């Protein structure tokens, strides 16, 4: 509060009082009036002082109130923003100084609060928009500012809202991916099955074909459910059509085979028969499962069935030929004439459905194939047995040939064949024994004898085993007799001198025959090699025939290996 200096105030008052005394003197005022007027002046001065003090006191109270409000607002904003690190303390000084200090702090906090409210508003608006899109009313709801709770504007609260918004945005992305995936699948199915893609998709939601006003495709639960339902329904329809076409394709092939349809006519339906082994995911060619394709195939099948009925007799006998070929292929007895006469009687009687008869013959063919398969292992071994028996017979004849080692064309080939034949013949006993065991097991399982061209295979094998054993015994006795003869001749030579020299052919026979079955052993190979050397030495001074073929100087048995 500013005050005048005491000297100036006193001088002013004294001057005014003197002027007033002069006036009163001129007027002629009495002392009573003068005292009264002075008392009034004093009272008025006191009233002015009182009013001024009261006004000043009120201004002071207002300043205190404003300061308190500022401080309270600061506390509220700091609490709402969660600025726990913010510290504020009242400074010393006059009220106006304190207000001038606190006002900028308050303005800064208000600006920060405004910015935070804006962030809350934007975040909550995006959350509300995505929730509305998921609920299915995002396109029909006008955007409105959400109510922000200004009592809680903390960073933690804002972070929670932004985290929730991120989850919703991720959910929106996933839903959009599902929508695009379903739409793509519907388009793919529409291409394969030839239906209107745009009509199908727009029937689910118009935004899926042409989003209006920049709005995105609908991602609501209802839209996703409808898309999923349509995709499932179309996939089932695709599978149903594929199965139907596969059935028709198989039927076509069966009819073509029955009717001997030429390849040129079959090519018209290659697009159908190519689907027989296809899975649902592999059937992707444009229009391959269209209704028009199915109708074309159905018409063709009906036409072929009509043609089949007219050729049924021919097909029946074709089946009979196939059945007979299967039986002959596995050496089973079949009475062709009797079977064909029965078929002719059935067809001529008109009391049998030819389709059922054909089906019955298909069953017989399937049964015959199964029976043939059960005989295959034994028949393969029978072929090996027969081949080995033929080689055994050839080997016997070969070893009886006294000139088998003479020089000439094909000698080395015969030597190789003989070596292989000896190896094969050595396995004959085990082969026959194993074959007999398999035949017995087969007959025990089937309960019927195993016939081979109307004869019992088991009897054939047993007879062969007996005869072979007899031949082996005979060979063994012959070798023993020859050994005794040679021993006797050697004894005679020691008693009476050297024996007369035999012709070359007889020498070859003596060397080749006894060692014929031991040629694969090292001793046998050495004997043959020594024999060749002796033969060549004996022919040094003889003339070479015109048809002589020089053999390589190596062991013929090793070349056979």
């Amino acid at each position: 509060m500013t005050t005048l200096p005491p000297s100036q105030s006193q001088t002013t008052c004294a001057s005014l009082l003197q002027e007033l005394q002069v006036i009163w003197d001129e007027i002629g005022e009495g002392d009573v009036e003068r005292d009264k007027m002075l008392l009034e002046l004093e009272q008025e001065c006191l009233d002015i002082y009182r009013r001024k003090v009261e006004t000043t006191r009120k201004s002071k109270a207002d300043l205190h109130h404003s300061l308190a409000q500022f401080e309270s607002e600061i506390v509220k904003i700091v609490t709402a923003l969660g600025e726990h690190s913010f510290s504020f303390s009242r400074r010393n000084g006059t009220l106006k100084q304190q207000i001038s200090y606190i006002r900028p702090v308050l303005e800064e906090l208000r600006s920060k609060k405004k910015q935070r409210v804006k962030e809350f508003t934007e975040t909550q608006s995006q959350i509300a928009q995505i929730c509305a899109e998921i609920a299915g009313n995002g396109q029909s709801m006008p955007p409105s500012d959400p109510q922000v709770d200004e009592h809680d504007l903390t960073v933690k609260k804002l972070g929670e809202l932004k985290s929730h918004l991120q989850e919703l945005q991720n959910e929106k992305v996933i839903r959009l991916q599902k929508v695009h995936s379903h739409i793509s699948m519907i388009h793919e199915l529409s291409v394969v099955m030839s239906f209107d893609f745009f009509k199908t998709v727009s029937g689910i939601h118009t935004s899926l074909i042409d989003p209006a006003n920049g709005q995105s495709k609908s991602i609501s639960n209802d839209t996703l459910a409808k898309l999923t339902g349509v995709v499932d329904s179309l996939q089932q329809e695709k599978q149903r059509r594929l199965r139907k076409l596969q059935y028709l394709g198989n039927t076509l092939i069966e009819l073509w085979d029955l009717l001997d349809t030429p390849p040129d006519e079959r090519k018209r339906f290659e697009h159908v028969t190519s689907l027989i082994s296809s899975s649902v995911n592999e059937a992707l060619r444009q229009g391959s499962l269209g209704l028009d394709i199915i109708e074309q195939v159905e018409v063709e099948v009906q036409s072929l069935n009509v043609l089949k009925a007219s050729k049924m007799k021919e097909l029946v006998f074709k089946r009979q030929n196939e059945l007979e070929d299967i039986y002959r292929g596995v050496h089973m007895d079949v009475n062709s004439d009797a079977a064909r006469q029965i078929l002719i009687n059935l067809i001529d009687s008109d009391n049998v459905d030819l389709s059922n008869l054909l089906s019955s013959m298909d069953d017989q063919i399937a049964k015959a194939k199964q029976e043939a398969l059960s005989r295959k292992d034994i028949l393969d071994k029978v072929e090996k047995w027969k081949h080995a028996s033929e080689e055994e017979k050839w080997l016997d004849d070969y070893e009886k040939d006294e000139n088998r080692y003479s020089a000439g064309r094909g000698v080395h080939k015969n030597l190789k064949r003989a070596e292989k034949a000896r190896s094969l013949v050595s396995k004959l006993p085990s082969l026959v024994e194993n074959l007999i065991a398999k035949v017995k097991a087969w007959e025990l399982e089937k309960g019927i004898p195993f016939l081979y061209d109307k004869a019992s295979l088991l009897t054939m094998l047993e007879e062969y085993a007996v005869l072979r054993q007899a031949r082996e015994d005979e060979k063994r006795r012959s070798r023993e007799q020859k050994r005794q003869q040679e021993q006797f001749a050697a004894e005679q030579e020691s008693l009476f001198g050297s024996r007369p020299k035999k012709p070359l052919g007889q020498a070859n026979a003596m060397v080749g025959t006894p060692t014929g079955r031991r040629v694969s052993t090292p001793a046998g190979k050495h004997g043959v090699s020594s024999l060749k050397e002796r033969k060549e030495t004996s022919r040094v001074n003889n003339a070479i025939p015109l048809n002589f073929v020089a053999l390589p100087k190596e062991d013929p048995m090793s070349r056979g290996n």
Side-chain angles (χ1 to χ4, degrees):
M1 182 178 177
T2 304
T3 57
L4 293 174
S7 58
Q8 185 178 357
S9 175
Q10 291 176 358
T11 300
T12 303
C13 288
S15 176
L16 289 174
L17 184 57
Q18 287 178 1
E19 185 178 356
L20 186 58
Q21 288 289 345
V22 172
I23 293 173
W24 281 342
D25 288 341
E26 290 178 359
I27 293 175
E29 288 288 347
D31 292 337
V32 177
E33 290 294 331
R34 290 185 181 189
D35 291 338
K36 183 178 179 182
M37 290 181 66
L38 289 172
L39 183 61
E40 289 177 358
L41 285 173
E42 186 177 351
Q43 187 64 40
E44 288 178 2
C45 286
L46 288 174
D47 290 339
I48 290 173
Y49 272 105
R50 288 192 185 96
R51 286 197 299 275
K52 181 56 67 176
V53 169
E54 185 65 28
T55 302
T56 304
R57 187 181 290 115
K58 188 172 185 283
S59 297
K60 176 185 175 182
D62 290 341
L63 289 174
H64 274 293
H65 180 69
S66 297
L67 186 60
Q69 282 185 330
F70 289 167
E71 292 178 344
S72 175
E73 187 174 356
I74 287 174
V75 171
K76 289 180 180 178
I77 294 175
V78 169
T79 302
L81 295 176
E83 301 288 345
H84 302 295
S85 62
F86 180 84
S87 61
F88 173 78
S89 60
R90 182 183 298 184
R91 291 190 176 184
N92 296 328
T94 64
L95 292 175
K96 288 185 177 181
Q97 289 174 341
Q98 293 181 36
I99 289 176
S100 64
Y101 165 72
I102 200 173
R103 190 183 299 276
V105 175
L106 180 59
E107 290 300 327
E108 182 181 355
L109 288 174
R110 284 174 176 170
S111 176
K112 195 169 185 179
K113 177 183 177 182
K114 183 178 180 181
Q115 182 63 29
R116 187 69 60 80
V117 169
K118 181 180 178 182
E119 291 183 27
F120 268 83
T121 302
E122 291 176 353
T123 303
Q124 291 182 195
S125 296
Q126 294 180 49
I127 290 174
Q129 177 63 28
I130 296 177
C131 289
E133 291 178 7
I134 293 176
N137 50 13
Q139 286 77 16
S140 60
M141 274 186 61
S144 59
D145 293 335
Q147 295 296 323
V148 178
D149 181 12
E150 297 188 4
H151 294 92
D152 188 0
L153 301 174
T154 61
V155 175
K156 180 180 178 181
K157 180 68 175 178
L158 182 61
E160 291 175 355
L161 286 175
K162 287 185 176 180
S163 177
H164 182 46
L165 175 61
Q166 185 63 45
E167 292 175 359
L168 290 174
Q169 287 173 339
N170 292 338
E171 174 70 14
K172 181 177 179 178
V173 170
I174 292 173
R175 285 171 175 260
L176 278 173
Q177 290 175 347
K178 289 182 180 179
V179 167
H180 287 298
S181 175
H182 288 329
I183 293 176
S184 177
M185 180 62 70
I186 293 174
H187 182 267
E188 180 182 311
L189 292 169
S190 70
V191 171
V192 176
M193 294 192 287
S194 301
F195 62 84
D196 192 338
F197 164 74
F198 292 100
K199 182 179 179 180
T200 302
V201 176
S202 61
I204 299 172
H205 200 282
T206 55
S207 67
L208 300 179
I209 294 297
D210 185 19
N213 301 324
Q215 293 176 337
S216 61
K217 290 180 172 62
S218 174
I219 58 171
S220 66
N221 293 330
D222 182 60
T223 299
L224 283 174
K226 288 181 179 178
L227 282 171
T228 303
V230 169
V231 169
D232 290 342
S233 175
L234 291 176
Q235 286 179 334
Q236 291 175 7
E237 176 64 15
K238 178 183 178 182
Q239 190 171 14
R240 186 188 68 80
R241 292 189 186 185
L242 178 61
R243 283 200 300 263
K244 187 169 185 178
L245 273 179
Q246 287 175 337
Y247 169 76
L248 291 172
N250 281 317
T251 305
L252 276 178
I253 292 176
E254 291 176 0
L255 290 170
W256 287 338
D257 293 341
L258 289 172
L259 302 173
D260 293 327
T261 303
D264 292 341
E265 294 186 19
R266 300 188 184 197
K267 285 183 179 180
R268 293 194 302 119
F269 292 94
E270 279 186 350
H271 59 288
V272 176
T273 55
S274 63
L275 295 173
I276 290 177
S277 59
S278 300
S279 65
V280 176
N281 295 328
E282 293 172 343
L284 300 175
R285 193 173 62 251
Q286 182 176 359
S288 59
L289 300 180
L291 291 176
D292 55 334
I293 299 295
I294 295 176
E295 291 175 358
Q296 291 175 8
V297 181
E298 287 177 337
V299 170
E300 180 67 13
V301 169
Q302 291 175 358
S303 174
L304 291 177
N305 277 325
V306 173
L307 185 60
K308 170 187 170 182
S310 63
K311 292 190 175 182
M312 192 61 71
K313 292 183 180 179
E314 178 183 345
L315 296 175
V316 167
F317 286 106
K318 183 178 179 181
R319 285 290 191 275
Q320 179 62 25
N321 290 334
E322 184 178 355
L323 185 62
E324 292 174 2
D325 290 340
I326 294 173
Y327 283 137
R328 291 192 188 97
V330 292
H331 300 276
M332 293 177 65
D333 183 28
V334 55
N335 192 341
S336 302
D337 295 336
R340 291 177 180 276
Q341 189 59 47
I342 292 173
L343 289 176
I344 293 173
N345 294 337
L346 285 173
I347 294 172
D348 293 340
S349 66
D350 294 331
N351 293 328
V352 64
D353 185 350
L354 294 182
S355 297
N356 293 336
L357 178 59
L358 194 63
S359 177
S360 174
M361 296 191 71
D362 287 335
D363 294 339
Q364 293 180 40
I365 291 173
K367 184 178 179 182
K369 288 180 178 179
Q370 185 176 2
E371 188 173 356
L373 186 62
S374 71
R375 295 166 59 92
K376 184 177 184 303
D377 187 32
I378 293 177
L379 292 176
D380 290 343
K381 286 183 169 51
V382 168
E383 291 301 317
K384 292 180 180 179
W385 166 54
K386 291 172 66 177
H387 174 66
S389 299
E390 292 173 359
E391 290 299 293
E392 183 183 33
K393 181 179 178 182
W394 176 88
L395 185 62
D396 288 342
D397 295 338
Y398 173 75
E399 291 182 342
K400 292 176 182 178
D401 183 7
E402 295 181 353
N403 298 321
R404 62 183 179 276
Y405 295 118
S406 299
R409 292 184 179 181
V411 173
H412 65 288
K413 293 182 180 180
N414 287 336
L415 289 173
K416 288 183 179 181
R417 181 176 176 181
E419 178 65 18
K420 293 181 180 179
R422 291 187 185 97
S423 175
L424 191 61
V425 169
S426 66
K427 301 175 182 178
L428 257 174
S430 61
L431 177 63
V432 173
E433 183 180 355
N434 186 28
L435 187 54
I436 290 175
K438 283 187 174 293
V439 172
K440 288 181 178 180
W442 188 93
E443 292 182 346
L444 182 62
E445 178 185 355
K446 302 292 184 180
I448 56 176
F450 192 103
L451 299 181
Y452 187 90
D453 293 336
K454 300 183 181 181
S456 171
L457 178 60
L458 185 60
T459 302
M460 293 167 59
L461 291 169
E462 291 175 345
E463 290 177 353
Y464 170 79
V466 172
L467 291 175
R468 189 175 189 280
Q469 185 61 43
R471 287 198 306 271
E472 291 296 322
D473 292 342
E474 179 64 25
K475 288 180 181 179
R476 192 179 301 108
R477 286 193 297 271
S478 176
R479 287 195 298 269
E480 181 63 24
Q481 183 179 1
K482 180 176 286 189
R483 185 187 65 80
Q484 291 176 358
Q485 290 175 355
E486 290 177 352
Q487 184 178 1
F488 176 76
E491 292 174 354
Q492 292 296 318
E493 181 179 358
S494 63
L495 291 175
F496 302 106
S498 60
R499 294 172 294 174
K501 189 175 181 180
K502 294 184 178 181
L504 181 61
Q506 294 181 2
N508 288 340
M510 290 176 62
V511 174
T513 303
T515 60
R517 306 190 64 82
R518 295 192 301 274
V519 74
S520 60
T521 63
K525 292 181 181 179
H526 181 70
V528 173
S529 179
S530 300
L531 173 64
K532 289 180 64 179
E533 292 176 359
R534 289 197 300 272
K535 288 165 61 180
E536 291 172 356
T537 302
S538 64
R539 295 183 182 182
V540 169
N541 298 321
N542 295 336
I544 299 176
L546 294 177
N547 62 349
F548 174 74
V549 178
L551 296 178
K553 299 299 183 176
E554 62 179 19
D555 187 354
M557 297 301 103
S558 64
R559 287 186 285 112
N561 296 335

